[in-house]
């Protein structure tokens, strides 16, 4: 029997597979298809202080080996998430859940993280400083080490749960941003969010996405994600959650060899709602194929 368990900031996951924020909602629709308690955990829809309608449509553009989204952090706001979504979640998910938080100012990050921190079922807080689809916040906090450190420090001052900072790949030096977060007190790093992309419709000669640009995700970005996880693993001592184009058990193993303790699956959920379940089911066979008995032993194994 192979051992798929990993430990993320003191909490043991049955396996390292975590649906990524924004691709799994609050899990309800997926729980209608299968028992989502097979997951390591999941990262719920990015939550902000106030409810958000999101960006104008169209928000999605299809690409070879991936997709562009410009959702714009559509969500019901933190009060609703705490008072309704998290209360209902208990009925179909019994494990600690990862709360994903976004903001437009330091004060907003602090407000939302503080509220979320008090929710019993929240095991970790994933602070998104990398959303490419909004102005005046989001990615702008993740593109310099100084701004990333400022958010991290402010959030850590008001939380007791482990804080993971979700980084943008749209930077020249990902390692220095990750190190600044670690120095400011982060408990872990999540990466990568989407790459800024664009598609143009040849018939209309206009951008496909109403917001013009959006975040590119899917299997095409997997090698970029592996490279950045590898670089960040070398730069920090805190755990790394790897993501970006993961769609198979082999991808999970590769991401862990690069340095990930756990692995998020994003765009694959939108193509196949059973993607995470299938990855978890095929993980033991893949481990046997590569002679791995204990999955946690391979973390950073490529270094
Ligand atoms: C979005 O809601 O626009 C996606 C979130 C993100 O990419 O961080």
């Amino acid at each position: 029997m192979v051992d798929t368990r990993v430990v993320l900031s003191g909490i043991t996951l049955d396996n390292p597979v975590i649906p990524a924020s924004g691709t799994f909602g609050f899990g309800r629709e997926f729980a209608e298809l299968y028992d989502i308690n097979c997951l390591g955990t999941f990262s719920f829809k990015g939550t902000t202080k106030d409810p958000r309608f999101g960006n104008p449509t169209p928000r999605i553009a299809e690409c070879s080996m991936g997709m562009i989204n410009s959702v714009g952090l559509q969500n019901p706001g933190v009060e609703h998430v705490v008072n309704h979504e998290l209360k209902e979640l208990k009925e179909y998910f019994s494990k600690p859940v990862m709360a994903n938080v976004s903001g437009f100012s330091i004060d907003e990050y602090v407000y939302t993280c503080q509220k979320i921190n008090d929710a019993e079922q929240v095991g970790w807080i994933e602070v998104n400083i990398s959303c490419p689809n909004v102005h005046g916040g989001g990615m702008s906090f993740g593109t310099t080490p100084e701004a990333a450190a400022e958010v991290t420090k402010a959030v850590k001052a008001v939380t007791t749960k482990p804080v993971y900072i979700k980084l943008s790949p749209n930077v020249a030096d990902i390692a220095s941003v990750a190190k600044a977060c670690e120095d400011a007190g982060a408990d872990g790093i999540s990466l990568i969010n989407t790459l800024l992309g664009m598609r143009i419709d040849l018939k209309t000669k206009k951008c496909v996405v109403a917001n013009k640009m959006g975040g590119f995700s899917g299997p095409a970005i997997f090698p970029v994600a592996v490279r950045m996880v590898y670089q960040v693993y070398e730069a920090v001592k805190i755990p790394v959650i790897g993501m970006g184009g993961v769609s198979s058990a082999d991808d999970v193993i590769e991401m862990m060899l690069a340095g990930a303790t756990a692995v998020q699956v994003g765009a694959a959920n939108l193509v196949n709602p059973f993607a995470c379940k299938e990855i978890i089911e095929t993980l033991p066979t893949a481990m046997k194929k590569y002679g791995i008995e204990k999955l946690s032993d391979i973390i950073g194994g490529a270094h």
Side-chain angles (χ1 to χ4, degrees):
M1 260 272 279
V2 293
D3 183 354
T4 60
R5 289 171 302 171
V6 295
V7 180
L8 205 53
S9 296
I11 304 174
T12 301
L13 308 185
D14 292 332
N15 61 70
V17 179
I18 306 174
S21 176
T23 65
F24 210 74
F26 291 88
R28 192 181 303 109
E29 295 78 7
F30 291 83
E32 284 168 14
L33 300 176
Y34 67 93
D35 181 2
I36 64 169
N37 287 294
C38 68
L39 302 168
T41 180
F42 73 92
S43 180
F44 64 61
K45 176 62 192 158
T47 297
T48 51
K49 178 174 179 277
D50 299 313
R52 287 180 53 80
F53 186 71
N55 288 338
T57 55
R59 297 168 167 182
I60 301 288
E62 287 192 32
C63 313
S64 311
M65 302 276 288
M67 60 175 282
I68 287 175
N69 92 80
S70 176
V71 172
L73 297 173
Q74 179 175 345
N75 79 94
V78 69
E79 306 295 337
H80 183 90
V81 169
V82 169
N83 295 327
H84 298 281
E85 300 294 351
L86 288 178
K87 291 220 162 92
E88 287 170 29
L89 178 64
K90 281 191 201 132
E91 288 163 23
Y92 54 85
F93 191 60
S94 59
K95 296 180 172 180
V97 71
M98 188 171 288
N100 185 285
V101 170
S102 275
F104 291 81
S105 67
I106 300 277
D107 286 350
E108 277 194 26
Y109 278 108
V110 164
Y111 180 92
T112 310
C113 286
Q114 210 165 9
K115 293 259 171 208
I116 289 272
N117 184 70
D118 295 340
E120 197 189 340
Q121 203 173 346
V122 168
W124 314 258
I125 302 174
E126 183 176 57
V127 179
N128 181 6
I129 57 167
S130 46
C131 176
N133 299 327
V134 293
H135 298 288
M139 193 170 84
S140 60
F141 286 107
T143 45
T144 67
E146 294 77 17
E150 201 184 344
V151 178
T152 307
K153 211 169 166 182
V155 165
K156 278 296 291 177
V158 296
T159 50
T160 52
K161 306 269 169 84
V163 170
Y164 281 65
I165 307 292
K166 184 168 176 179
L167 299 187
S168 171
N170 304 298
V171 294
D173 182 3
I174 190 80
S176 65
V177 182
K179 183 77 177 73
C181 295
E182 179 181 49
D183 291 345
D187 298 285
I189 303 290
S190 290
L191 81 161
I192 58 176
N193 203 322
T194 52
L195 288 148
L196 202 53
M198 180 187 275
R199 294 305 307 269
I200 295 169
D201 185 308
L202 301 189
K203 289 200 189 104
T204 63
K205 301 182 177 56
K206 298 248 181 321
C207 295
V208 174
V209 166
N211 210 31
K212 296 195 170 82
M213 292 177 237
F216 180 44
S217 60
I221 73 164
F222 181 67
V224 179
V226 171
R227 184 263 295 178
M228 288 192 155
V229 167
Y230 188 97
Q231 288 177 308
V232 167
Y233 180 82
E234 298 220 325
V236 300
K237 293 189 176 58
I238 51 180
V240 174
I241 301 177
M243 75 196 79
V246 174
S247 54
S248 67
D250 277 22
D251 291 347
V252 170
I253 290 172
E254 188 169 339
M255 203 54 112
M256 293 183 74
L257 287 168
T261 296
V263 178
Q264 292 191 4
V265 179
N269 297 313
L270 308 180
V271 179
N272 170 15
F274 297 98
C276 287
K277 181 177 185 282
E278 288 171 9
I279 291 172
I280 291 163
E281 284 168 356
T282 52
L283 201 47
T285 309
M287 286 171 66
K288 279 186 209 137
K289 182 172 157 198
Y290 300 111
I292 304 163
E293 273 177 29
K294 196 169 175 221
L295 200 50
S296 60
D297 284 347
I298 68 160
I299 298 165
H303 292 258

